[in-house]
Each structure stands twice: as C-alpha cells, then as structure tokens.
Amino acid sequence: MANAEADSKRGIVKKAGYHHGDLRNAIIESVVRLIAQNASLDFQLKDVAKLVGTTTPAIYRHFESKQSLLVETAIAGYAIQEDYRNRAISLSKPSPLARLIAIGHAYVLFGRTHPGYFRLMKSLETEEMLASPEYQSLRTKALDLTNALTIECMEAGLFLEIDMAVVKTSLQTTALGLGHIYSTDQLQYIAPEALDDESLVARVFEVNLGGLLSAKGKRHVREASQDPFKAQR
C-alpha cells in the first residue's frame, strides 16, 4: 500500500497493479512479493497460489508454466519502470545531461519501491526472459534512449572525448549499484547515517559522473543531478 501511495504522489501509473477479481495481475504481484522476500526464484506455483488465495490449477489457466509467469512478470516490471522513466524526464531540466541523470533517478526509485521487479529484471533474468521478443524490445527501447541522450551529451561537449563504452558503463554501474543498494536495504549497513538523506542519490551521481565531464559539463552537473521527483515528495 505504501508503494502504491508513493507512486500516486509522483504521478506514476502502476500498470501491473490489480483490482479485486483480477486474478492474473494478483498472481504477478504475488510473484514479485516472493522474489522480494526470498531474493531468488526458488519458489513453486503452489507458494504463489497460497499467497494469492487461489489454487495452482487456477494459475495454469493464466500461465502455462512458472517460466512463462516469470516472463510476464518481467514484462510488467518494464512497463512500471517505463512509467518512472517517462515521469522523470517530464520533470527534469531540458538539457540532455539532466534528462540522462533523471533516468538514473527513475531507475533507482524503481528499485527502491519495487524490489521484487528490480531483482528479477536486473539479477535474476532467465533464459526464457532473454528469449522473449517483447521483453527484449522493452529492454532495447530503454537502452536506445539512454544511448541517444549520451550521444547528445557528447555532441554538446558535456563529456570528455573518451570511449563511449566507458561512459555508458559508468552510467549503468552507478544507477545499477544504487538501485541494488536500495532494493536490498543495504544502505542501513553501508551508510546508516544517510538513511534519511534524500539528496544522497543526486550527490552520488554528481561525484561519479565528475570524471566523465568536460569543464562545460562540470559547470552545470549539480543542477542536472537534482532528483526530478524531489518536489513531489
């Protein structure tokens, strides 16, 4: 419920949310809860059925197997992540650097508020998920957007003249690392003094990107690094 309220305040539409009687989405939401709780895919469909309050045969009327259920869950997760991404971009400053970092903030917030989806999509991908054309299409769409904004930043002279692969990997490492820390509640062990620091993610992006930026990029990175969701908290 807390996640749903937070999403509502930020203007995020939770596409995988379900209303009473929508068994298919209730099953997906229960899978996400089990992944968040177990930090693995080590559960059975009977566990899902118990959590939903239905039967295993009822699940098979919607999904042909556990693997197909995981694929559909991952696709639903990408839909939610896309909502966060689009909202972040709409709230960010217009510069390509600000939009690029806004996507990073959306990525971290997604991990923070939907740890089950985040874990499935970022560290527990299955062969069936990777073989799904729809899943791959959503993944490619997200990567194409960040790549395009990275190129815009380079063309605008905001990044140093360094290997594009280094820039993309550095950006992904920062966002993925922060998302993982928040999705697994590791901040309480890593930096407990920062648990209530809502500026932490922005400051980490600013510091980690500093080595990639030109003098021009450094002049406005602090403003570009600001959390686009901050005003809605």
Side-chain angles (χ1 to χ4, degrees):
M1 181 64 70
N3 288 348
E5 290 176 354
D7 289 345
S8 178
K9 289 179 181 178
R10 297 183 180 96
I12 302 292
V13 178
K14 188 178 180 185
K15 293 184 178 179
Y18 60 88
H19 301 287
H20 180 70
D22 188 347
L23 181 57
R24 186 178 188 280
N25 281 325
I27 292 168
I28 288 176
E29 286 295 323
S30 294
V31 167
V32 171
R33 287 174 59 189
L34 287 169
I35 293 172
Q37 291 169 9
N38 302 335
S40 75
L41 303 181
D42 188 21
F43 60 85
Q44 300 178 19
L45 290 185
K46 66 180 182 180
D47 300 319
V48 179
K50 182 179 180 180
L51 197 56
V52 175
T54 188
T55 63
T56 302
I59 293 178
Y60 280 112
R61 287 198 289 271
H62 293 270
F63 305 95
E64 64 180 23
S65 66
K66 177 182 175 181
Q67 287 303 325
S68 67
L69 173 53
L70 290 174
V71 170
E72 291 301 315
T73 301
I75 289 171
Y78 255 117
I80 297 172
Q81 181 179 298
E82 184 174 17
D83 285 333
Y84 276 73
R85 185 172 68 241
N86 291 343
R87 185 63 176 164
I89 291 173
S90 74
L91 293 169
S92 73
K93 301 291 184 181
S95 78
L97 183 60
R99 285 181 285 152
L100 187 61
I101 297 175
I103 291 175
H105 278 287
Y107 195 94
V108 175
L109 184 60
F110 172 64
R112 191 173 186 172
T113 54
H114 300 284
Y117 281 116
F118 188 88
R119 289 182 178 183
L120 175 62
M121 297 159 56
K122 311 306 176 185
S123 60
L124 297 173
E125 287 179 314
T126 66
E127 292 182 4
E128 288 79 7
M129 287 166 58
L130 295 174
S132 164
E134 185 174 0
Y135 181 79
Q136 284 296 344
S137 175
L138 291 167
R139 187 192 223 191
T140 300
K141 181 180 180 181
L143 290 173
D144 285 348
L145 177 58
T146 56
N147 288 344
L149 286 172
T150 302
I151 292 171
E152 279 191 55
C153 287
M154 298 189 83
E155 291 177 343
L158 299 173
F159 285 136
L160 297 170
E161 293 185 7
I162 54 179
D163 191 336
M164 177 80 161
V166 172
V167 176
K168 292 192 295 184
T169 302
S170 296
L171 291 167
Q172 183 70 11
T173 299
T174 300
L176 183 61
L178 286 166
H180 176 75
I181 286 171
Y182 280 106
S183 69
T184 56
D185 290 325
Q186 290 298 304
L187 191 61
Q188 61 181 312
Y189 307 111
I190 296 171
E193 68 278 12
L195 282 173
D196 297 321
D197 184 355
E198 292 296 337
S199 69
L200 180 65
V201 173
R203 291 191 290 122
V204 170
F205 274 119
E206 182 182 346
V207 170
N208 285 10
L209 294 182
L212 303 173
L213 297 172
S214 65
K216 180 180 178 181
K218 288 179 179 179
R219 281 196 294 271
H220 73 279
V221 66
R222 178 158 296 181
E223 182 180 23
S225 298
Q226 295 307 302
D227 183 353
F229 299 105
K230 185 177 181 179
Q232 298 192 340
R233 286 198 172 96

